[in-house]
Amino acid sequence: MTRRSESAIRIVAIRPAPIGRIFAIIYGVFGLVAFLLFAIANVAYMTLPFGILAPFLHLNLNLNLGRSGNVLYNILLCVAAILSYALTGWLTGMTVAGCFNVAAKQIGGVDAKYFSVSQEQDTHKVNQ
């Protein structure tokens, strides 16, 4: 059994686009769940956010859309919920990544550790 080599690195910046995509997917799922809860609950309207939503930061525009018995309207409302939440997630993710980059630059980066498995894989191939 070989031992993994452990190395330390310093994260000084992250790319905002992948973080934005991850947040968009997560928030899009939340949008679908919000629509499903709206569909089974007895509430008069559904609120669709557009903007940045974070624990202590709400810079958004809310659209309140009412309930309807029209099937096409409800399908469009579901699509609108998923898209508005996904857009909000993307904006939030990009903002979070940008804030992280500014903070990391100010403090000189964040310590991180990773394990290298390349030596273990190379050793395993040689032994076969």
Side-chain angles (χ1 to χ4, degrees):
M1 187 183 245
T2 60
R3 184 177 179 180
R4 294 180 179 165
S5 62
E6 187 176 319
S7 301
I9 60 171
R10 197 149 185 84
I11 301 172
V12 294
I14 56 176
R15 291 183 301 170
I19 303 300
R21 281 193 300 270
I22 291 169
F23 272 60
I25 291 167
I26 292 169
Y27 277 52
V29 170
F30 287 159
L32 178 61
V33 170
F35 175 77
L36 294 174
L37 291 175
F38 169 74
I40 62 173
N42 190 18
V43 293
Y45 63 90
M46 179 176 187
T47 302
L48 302 181
F50 288 100
I52 299 169
L53 294 176
F56 299 108
L57 179 67
H58 296 278
L59 299 172
N60 62 334
L61 168 70
N62 290 329
L63 299 176
N64 297 319
L65 301 175
R67 183 176 290 280
S68 173
N70 187 339
V71 175
L72 181 60
Y73 175 84
N74 288 326
I75 291 171
L76 291 175
L77 182 58
C78 179
V79 171
I82 293 169
L83 291 177
S84 70
Y85 274 82
L87 176 63
T88 299
W90 183 79
L91 290 171
T92 302
M94 296 291 280
T95 302
V96 166
C99 290
F100 176 86
N101 289 342
V102 168
K105 185 177 181 180
Q106 293 295 321
I107 64 170
V110 177
D111 288 332
K113 291 184 179 181
Y114 69 94
F115 292 105
S116 175
V117 294
S118 63
Q119 291 176 346
E120 182 178 317
Q121 290 172 351
D122 291 341
T123 305
H124 184 67
K125 287 179 185 176
V126 169
N127 291 336
Q128 289 181 348

